[in-house]
Amino acid sequence: MSLYSGLGAAGPSAHTDLLSAKIPDNPSSQRALIEEIKRRGRACVISKNYPDADSLYGKGIEILESMIVGAEVNDEKDDSSISDNKKDVAIFYSNRSLVRMQMGKITEALEDADMAVSHDGTYVKAHWRRGQASNACGNTSQALVSFEKALELDPTNKALKKEV
């Protein structure tokens, strides 16, 4: 977390409680924290409070990455738990990519979209975000590849068809 995490456009964040929270040891407490971060992040996006959304999604990524590494290090046999966490971290990266695009942080948005795809290559929005960020970076050929992949995963998506 950076020195400025938790500082929104108007000053200190209303989400300092979550942003400064330590990662719980208990899986159910970890899951509850992730769900609260997801809920607040969504509310920030809706209200266009992108700096707080960026910080919240970053905290969620930190927690989920820690849970994934912990499960892999401990050689946990519950592959569905690891898979679920990878899908969740892909969603958080994808959401943060959207937020960073809205903030004009195009390179960071592309990096987050790439991370989302690497965690869950079947997540349509990850490919869509990668396409949007690639297009914003001026890489129209990569954007087209990403949009086509998203459309391959969801061939009936009308909004995606407009991108291609």
Side-chain angles (χ1 to χ4, degrees):
M1 193 176 322
S2 78
L3 176 64
Y4 299 105
S5 291
L7 293 180
S13 171
H15 309 286
T16 304
D17 60 324
L18 290 183
L19 297 172
S20 63
K22 297 211 182 305
I23 301 172
D25 295 328
N26 175 321
S28 64
S29 296
Q30 291 170 341
R31 181 56 42 199
L33 183 57
I34 289 297
E35 291 305 317
E36 181 62 13
I37 290 170
K38 190 185 299 184
R39 185 187 70 74
R40 291 195 200 181
R42 189 177 308 117
C44 287
V45 169
I46 290 168
S47 67
K48 300 184 180 186
N49 182 351
Y50 300 124
D52 276 3
D54 187 356
S55 296
L56 286 164
Y57 289 133
K59 180 69 174 188
I61 290 166
E62 174 190 344
I63 293 167
L64 286 162
E65 294 278 14
S66 165
M67 291 167 66
I68 292 166
V69 169
E72 291 172 346
V73 166
N74 294 330
D75 197 27
E76 291 180 11
K77 301 299 180 210
D78 186 5
D79 288 337
S80 67
S81 174
I82 294 171
S83 176
D84 288 347
N85 288 339
K86 286 184 177 183
K87 287 179 186 293
D88 282 344
V89 80
I91 293 168
F92 275 75
Y93 272 116
S94 179
N95 289 350
R96 192 171 71 175
S97 177
L98 166 75
V99 166
R100 289 181 166 179
M101 282 285 292
Q102 294 298 321
M103 295 171 66
K105 297 180 176 183
I106 308 305
T107 302
E108 292 92 336
L110 181 57
E111 290 168 1
D112 279 350
D114 286 341
M115 290 299 292
V117 169
S118 75
H119 280 284
D120 184 2
T122 66
Y123 186 45
V124 174
K125 281 189 181 177
H127 292 282
W128 194 344
R129 303 268 192 254
R130 181 193 274 176
Q132 292 171 320
S134 295
N135 195 41
C137 286
N139 189 344
T140 54
S141 61
Q142 178 58 47
L144 184 59
V145 168
S146 296
F147 289 137
E148 287 174 342
K149 179 62 180 178
L151 199 53
E152 176 185 316
L153 293 167
D154 186 4
T156 62
N157 189 313
K158 291 177 185 174
L160 267 172
K161 287 180 181 179
K162 291 178 183 175
E163 298 282 3
V164 177

